[in-house]
Amino acid sequence: MLSRCLVVDDHEMIRDTISLMAQALGIKSVITAADGAEAISRAFHEQPSLIITDLQMEPIDGLEMLRLIRSGRYHLQHDVPIIILTANASQSVISECIRYDVDAFMVKPVRKQDLENRVQQLAKDTKSKKPPKYYFEMYQADPAKSTDFEHNGAIVFTEEEQEKIEKISDTSPTIDTTAPPVTPEQATAKSKDRKFIRWQDKYSVGHSELDASNKQLLAIINDTYEAIAYHHADGEKGDFDDLAQRFRDYIVSHFQLEEDILHDLAYPKYKQHAAIHERLSRQAHYVLLQCQADPELYSSEFFKFLRYWWVHHVVKEDRQYREFLSQSPQSAQFPH
């Protein structure tokens, strides 16, 4: 449980508002700072278990504070969870925050539900950090370096992968922004008749548990489509937060299930497939953080990435082991 939170913002009203929200969520102690310089001092003396900071401050802004903390400067706890507040931040700044392993973003003005979602997310799964030396050397090598395709020193999307994502046929929902919002009952009725992708036998990998898991992903894709199509251009922010968490949960459960099955059956390409999972997990983390920083990306980049995942991983890469599963003598012990 997060016991002490440091809130950093140069606007007193914002600091006080977020502090009250944090206390309402059960965080016992909340301390505040008006800029990055004061925050570093408070972090050294108070040892917070969570930092929530704005980006635009002087003399030390939120990004520079993130870099310094991750680099272990001033004997700070380098792996403390950090949530950055954004308001019209540039893509380059967002990418730089991701390079230094920011844990989450929240968009101003902050709502209590947004904060609760982020705190629950971090309590459930806080990304492990590399040693301080790694971040320090990265910062020394090129303090201003920023790229959309690099995260934590590893390529997130190669140019080839990015082209594949962009080339996926743009069949995003057609949205009539002049039409009145549909009721939840109408949306449910329509969603029963209209799916972005319907399950077909050709998608099966030959294993009932894995097929059931992939159907969960299909439900996430279709529900994202529904959120975009039937809730107008921006969807409902709460819907997208829920869909993002469902996607995170799917990644963890699906990869664990698939790797256990393939390992137990001695699949010859097990290591290669596990490496693909690691790459996809890193890519998903990158996309989800981008969407937290700019929720409008849920209806474009998130939806596009889900389709990329389905087309290039489930349909193409996963089905490569279908024949192996059907021929493996040990596969009889697993349900098909």
Side-chain angles (χ1 to χ4, degrees):
M1 178 64 184
L2 300 172
S3 59
R4 180 172 295 153
C5 176
L6 170 59
V7 178
V8 190
D9 199 291
D10 52 6
H11 291 281
E12 183 178 5
M13 185 177 70
I14 294 177
R15 294 197 303 271
D16 291 345
T17 300
I18 296 177
S19 296
L20 290 172
M21 290 179 182
Q23 290 172 334
L25 294 177
I27 296 177
K28 297 180 180 178
S29 174
V30 180
I31 53 180
T32 63
D35 58 55
E38 182 184 358
I40 287 173
S41 175
R42 299 302 300 270
F44 175 79
H45 291 289
E46 304 287 347
Q47 296 292 305
S49 54
L50 171 67
I51 296 176
I52 302 172
T53 179
D54 190 24
L55 268 176
Q56 298 178 335
M57 301 176 295
E58 293 182 356
I60 295 178
D61 63 17
L63 174 55
E64 183 67 9
M65 187 175 71
L66 171 66
R67 289 166 166 163
L68 291 172
I69 291 174
R70 289 289 182 257
S71 300
R73 306 295 293 274
Y74 312 115
H75 303 286
L76 297 173
Q77 180 188 343
H78 91 287
D79 59 352
V80 60
I82 298 176
I83 299 174
I84 283 185
L85 308 177
T86 61
N88 302 318
S90 68
Q91 181 60 52
S92 62
V93 170
I94 292 171
S95 296
E96 190 71 356
C97 291
I98 295 174
R99 285 184 74 222
Y100 282 85
D101 283 330
V102 64
D103 291 272
F105 290 99
M106 286 193 298
V107 179
K108 287 184 173 182
V110 176
R111 301 182 308 165
K112 182 181 177 182
Q113 187 61 54
D114 296 335
L115 180 58
E116 183 175 2
N117 290 343
R118 299 297 176 266
V119 169
Q120 289 180 349
Q121 174 191 331
L122 295 180
K124 193 172 187 178
D125 181 25
T126 302
K127 188 179 186 299
S128 60
K129 310 300 187 296
K130 291 187 178 296
K133 181 181 178 182
Y134 171 85
Y135 302 103
F136 181 66
E137 290 179 349
M138 183 168 66
Y139 181 63
Q140 277 193 317
D142 188 355
K145 183 177 181 181
S146 176
T147 169
D148 291 347
F149 302 108
E150 188 173 322
H151 169 219
N152 208 9
I155 298 298
V156 173
F157 293 106
T158 64
E159 291 186 10
E160 181 182 1
E161 286 171 331
Q162 191 67 24
E163 288 177 1
K164 286 180 180 178
I165 293 174
E166 296 298 335
K167 286 181 179 178
I168 290 179
S169 58
D170 188 9
T171 51
S172 298
T174 301
I175 301 167
D176 180 4
T177 57
T178 64
V182 297
T183 65
E185 292 76 15
Q186 290 172 323
T188 301
K190 287 185 177 181
S191 66
K192 291 179 180 178
D193 299 325
R194 184 178 180 184
K195 300 290 184 184
F196 186 76
I197 302 175
R198 292 183 182 277
W199 177 264
Q200 301 178 52
D201 289 341
K202 66 179 182 180
Y203 296 143
S204 174
V205 297
H207 193 288
S208 62
E209 285 185 86
L210 292 175
D211 284 346
S213 181
N214 282 330
K215 288 177 183 178
Q216 292 178 13
L217 174 62
L218 201 60
I220 294 171
I221 294 173
N222 287 328
D223 288 349
T224 302
Y225 177 80
E226 178 188 337
I228 299 169
Y230 302 135
H231 295 269
H232 294 315
D234 295 330
E236 293 290 341
K237 190 175 184 302
D239 289 348
F240 287 128
D241 276 345
D242 178 64
L243 288 163
Q245 188 57 54
R246 284 170 58 191
F247 186 44
R248 291 187 190 93
D249 294 342
Y250 162 79
I251 292 171
V252 174
S253 62
H254 178 77
F255 283 175
Q256 186 65 58
L257 173 67
E258 190 172 59
E259 290 178 15
D260 285 348
I261 291 172
L262 296 181
H263 180 269
D264 290 345
L265 294 177
Y267 179 51
K269 296 182 179 180
Y270 168 78
K271 289 185 177 180
Q272 295 94 316
H273 206 80
I276 290 173
H277 285 176
E278 174 61 29
R279 187 194 75 234
L280 281 170
S281 180
R282 188 168 61 247
Q283 291 169 335
H285 179 71
Y286 181 83
V287 170
L288 289 169
L289 279 175
Q290 284 186 310
C291 291
Q292 283 185 356
D294 183 0
E296 289 187 3
L297 295 178
Y298 277 119
S299 58
S300 57
E301 300 308 306
F302 178 61
F303 188 48
K304 198 184 298 181
F305 182 65
L306 289 175
R307 289 147 56 196
Y308 167 80
W309 185 300
W310 182 263
V311 171
H312 291 279
H313 184 59
V314 176
V315 176
K316 183 178 178 181
E317 292 168 336
D318 278 0
R319 292 183 73 249
Q320 291 181 8
Y321 58 70
R322 178 174 180 170
E323 184 176 353
F324 172 81
L325 288 179
S326 65
Q327 295 178 352
S328 174
Q330 301 176 54
S331 64
Q333 62 184 294
F334 295 97
H336 290 273

